[in-house]
Amino acid sequence: MNAGSRRVEAAIAAAREVFGERLSTAEAIRGQHSRGEDLSRPVLPDAVAFAATTEEVSRLLAICNAHGVPVVPFGAGTSLEGHVTPWRGGISLDLSRMDRVLEVNEADMDCLVEPGVTRQALNAGLRDRGLFFPVDPGSHATIGGMCATRASGTNAVRYGTMRENVLGLEAVLADGRVVNTGGRTRKSASGYDLTRLLLGSEGTLAVITKVRLRLFGIPEAISAAVVQFEDLGGAVRTVIETLQCGIPVARIELLDEVQMAACIAYSRLEGFAARPTLFLEFHGTEASVAEQAEALGGIAAAHGGSGFAWAREQEARNRLWEARHNAYWAATALLPGSRAYTTDICVPISALEEAILGAKRDIEESGLTAPIVGHVGDGNFHAAIIVRPGDEEALARAWALDRRIVARGLALGGTCSGEHGIGIHKREFLEAEHGAAALEVMRAIKAALDPKGILNPGKLLP
Ligand SMILES: Cc1cc2nc3c(=O)[nH]c(=O)nc-3n(C[C@H](O)[C@H](O)[C@H](O)COP(=O)(O)OP(=O)(O)OC[C@H]3O[C@@H](n4cnc5c(N)ncnc54)[C@H](O)[C@@H]3O)c2cc1C
């Protein structure tokens, strides 16, 4: 036995004292924690610990820090960039059982939750109070994972991302100390903003154990619509003009003709053609919703959009948005046995047309299947490159395609990741995006908070 495996065995033995049967070394459980929803090679952790309290998280981190053993926080494992793969072994710390909603404050419109709560479970509990939490990735992600990846979704154009909707955190540092960041006020100018530092830190700086979230009132009137276009350029120009005119759409999502064909087949959407399409939603009063829809209808018509199909009832709206949220699964259904590598650039709105039409050309030249779908209201879109696991040649072409799309995005003043994060796969773009000096600052922060490098090692920083 080498020194490394002796350290791991000692840490597991000490952790077993804390977790009892909630610490598992069973191969099946380790397999479930060997990767996320991405194409990276799975790596088994040495053990999986299912936390129930902050105290347990703190004790586990103190143990692993003392023994120099890696800890990889794990929410629902839906991340797409290799974030949860424990590629240096160690303990996968599963937080999904810390899933209580601890407080809902209707008067202040905020709540306090444990990290394992999913946004679907949170919203199901809030509905009767007339409140909702708007950040909605198309997966059954946990709030802790969404904080750690600075996630967003279809509502971000109106309500913002996790960055705007997290008021404060409780988090455990690598050595086991518990810190509280932020608070319940809507603004604060007090001290460094540790909440924003931890949002998007991908489990590399601390383990999040409580989250205080902003909530919103369910709008008086909600209307959804679908509009189809002759060409992709017309759909994208409609988005740009809508935002530049200041029409406060709640959701504006683009699907190219390949993605639309996939969604029609997968979600049995009837009455639509496989053409570039915008899915829209308007929130407000009856009058303001009608006004927004009319203004957008005029812009769409000027860019070749036709056949506004309305979904006013909740059931019809749910069907539409479920189809949009299932776009990833619809895309993988195009090639049986495949999975998707999802590009994720985000550019300034004025550069969206060049970014999307350029990506479309790159996809055609690559010979790969890669439907385009996007939260275009934020300038963010994805190409889901469909690849069969094990097809190394196709995978190499997929990486090359992603690099071209990212390079164009960066040249247009954008970012390599609008919402999925860096994980393993996007580390190579960080320096080009942020510069060497900013990267040095990031490394200094990592060294200060996690000097032994036990928290999710090898992720985010190149
Ligand atoms: C079909 C599909 C659709 C998706 N759509 C979207 C989308 O619209 N928008 C979007 O932003 N993302 C989307 N994603 C990506 C993914 O769902 C998000 O990144 C999500 O936030 C991950 O949450 P999770 O609970 O699954 O976290 P995990 O995958 O378990 O973990 C993600 C990262 O967070 C860390 N982490 C997890 N919990 C904690 C914690 N409590 N404390 C500290 N670190 C922690 C992990 O170590 C890891 O680095 C999609 C994924 C799929 C499969």
Side-chain angles (χ1 to χ4, degrees):
M1 192 190 299
N2 64 33
S5 49
R6 268 200 298 275
R7 279 204 310 271
V8 172
E9 289 214 342
I12 290 176
R16 189 162 274 127
E17 298 286 310
V18 179
F19 286 85
E21 287 184 353
R22 283 182 288 108
L23 185 123
S24 175
T25 50
E27 185 138 353
I29 303 283
R30 289 159 62 213
Q32 286 160 12
H33 294 77
S34 62
R35 64 166 175 79
E37 197 55 57
D38 57 272
L39 285 159
S40 60
R41 183 176 56 83
V43 178
L44 292 181
D46 293 289
V48 179
F50 291 89
T53 63
T54 301
E55 162 80 15
E56 286 178 357
V57 173
S58 165
R59 289 177 67 188
L60 180 77
L61 290 192
I63 290 166
C64 289
N65 199 45
H67 291 283
V69 167
V71 176
V72 181
F74 191 100
T78 66
S79 44
L80 293 165
E81 301 291 353
H83 293 77
V84 291
T85 306
W87 71 341
R88 295 192 190 151
I91 296 185
S92 176
L93 174 57
D94 188 316
L95 296 134
S96 62
R97 296 187 190 175
M98 290 179 69
D99 62 353
R100 289 176 305 158
V101 175
L102 301 169
E103 284 172 23
V104 176
N105 303 300
E106 290 179 37
D108 290 319
M109 300 218 283
D110 67 34
C111 68
L112 183 68
V113 302
E114 291 186 322
V117 172
T118 63
R119 59 129 186 136
Q120 289 90 342
L122 176 62
N123 277 326
L126 291 173
R127 196 168 301 130
D128 289 345
R129 299 173 187 245
L131 295 170
F132 78 111
F133 177 66
V135 185
D136 65 333
S139 56
H140 283 270
T142 63
I143 296 291
M146 288 163 62
C147 288
T149 54
R150 203 153 66 226
S152 61
T154 62
N155 284 310
V157 59
R158 169 94 177 231
Y159 298 95
T161 70
M162 291 305 276
R163 187 177 63 183
E164 288 78 29
N165 287 296
V166 175
L167 294 169
L169 299 168
E170 176 191 85
V172 184
L173 300 178
D175 60 8
R177 276 177 299 160
V178 179
V179 291
N180 282 286
T181 74
R184 292 191 56 205
T185 55
R186 291 296 159 122
K187 64 180 195 179
S188 162
S190 150
Y192 294 139
D193 190 342
L194 299 182
T195 308
R196 300 285 156 327
L197 176 64
L198 296 185
L199 292 176
S201 62
E202 302 187 2
T204 64
L205 298 181
V207 178
I208 295 162
T209 44
K210 287 193 185 96
V211 187
R212 188 168 294 280
L213 297 168
R214 288 182 74 176
L215 301 175
F216 292 81
I218 296 174
E220 175 192 318
I222 303 178
S223 240
V226 174
V227 58
Q228 301 213 276
F229 291 81
E230 294 299 325
D231 60 44
L232 195 55
V236 181
R237 283 191 293 279
T238 298
V239 175
I240 296 170
E241 216 173 290
T242 299
L243 296 167
Q244 287 172 342
C245 290
I247 300 171
V249 278
R251 291 166 148 174
I252 185 161
E253 296 282 312
L254 171 80
L255 293 81
D256 77 352
E257 70 286 359
V258 187
Q259 182 66 64
M260 198 56 194
C263 285
I264 290 168
Y266 186 85
S267 297
R268 299 188 202 292
L269 283 181
E270 281 161 20
F272 298 110
R275 297 216 314 250
T277 301
L278 292 178
F279 280 25
L280 304 152
E281 195 165 274
F282 307 99
H283 294 181
T285 60
E286 295 289 351
S288 73
V289 161
E291 202 176 294
Q292 291 170 48
E294 193 187 329
L296 198 143
I299 296 172
H303 294 293
S306 59
F308 243 84
W310 286 98
R312 290 193 179 83
E313 302 310 318
Q314 185 160 358
E315 202 181 317
R317 288 202 315 269
N318 288 351
R319 240 171 65 73
L320 210 56
W321 289 111
E322 201 179 313
R324 164 60 190 90
H325 277 133
N326 283 335
Y328 174 91
W329 308 113
T332 55
L334 289 173
L335 181 67
S338 71
R339 302 181 62 162
Y341 178 72
T342 328
T343 73
D344 180 32
I345 66 163
C346 184
V347 295
I349 292 296
S350 59
L352 196 57
E353 185 176 0
E354 195 175 338
I356 292 185
L357 298 186
K360 188 78 180 164
R361 280 195 307 275
D362 292 341
I363 293 166
E364 280 160 9
E365 282 166 21
S366 76
L368 293 159
T369 303
I372 290 181
V373 61
H375 313 302
V376 278
D378 308 314
N380 182 205
F381 69 92
H382 313 298
I385 311 171
I386 310 303
V387 182
R388 283 207 176 95
D391 184 345
E392 296 301 329
E393 191 269 334
L395 196 54
R397 279 194 291 145
W399 292 136
L401 174 58
D402 183 33
R403 284 197 184 98
R404 282 183 73 173
I405 293 175
V406 172
R408 182 180 299 98
L410 295 182
L412 290 169
T415 170
C416 67
S417 177
E419 57 180 18
H420 295 162
I422 301 301
I424 297 172
H425 303 139
K426 293 234 152 72
R427 291 173 307 168
E428 67 179 86
F429 304 124
L430 270 199
E431 185 162 345
E433 182 173 335
H434 298 283
L439 222 57
E440 264 173 42
V441 174
M442 292 188 204
R443 287 206 176 93
I445 291 170
K446 169 75 175 167
L449 292 187
D450 180 19
K452 292 192 178 176
I454 63 157
L455 280 171
N456 208 1
K459 309 297 168 54
L460 199 150
L461 290 169

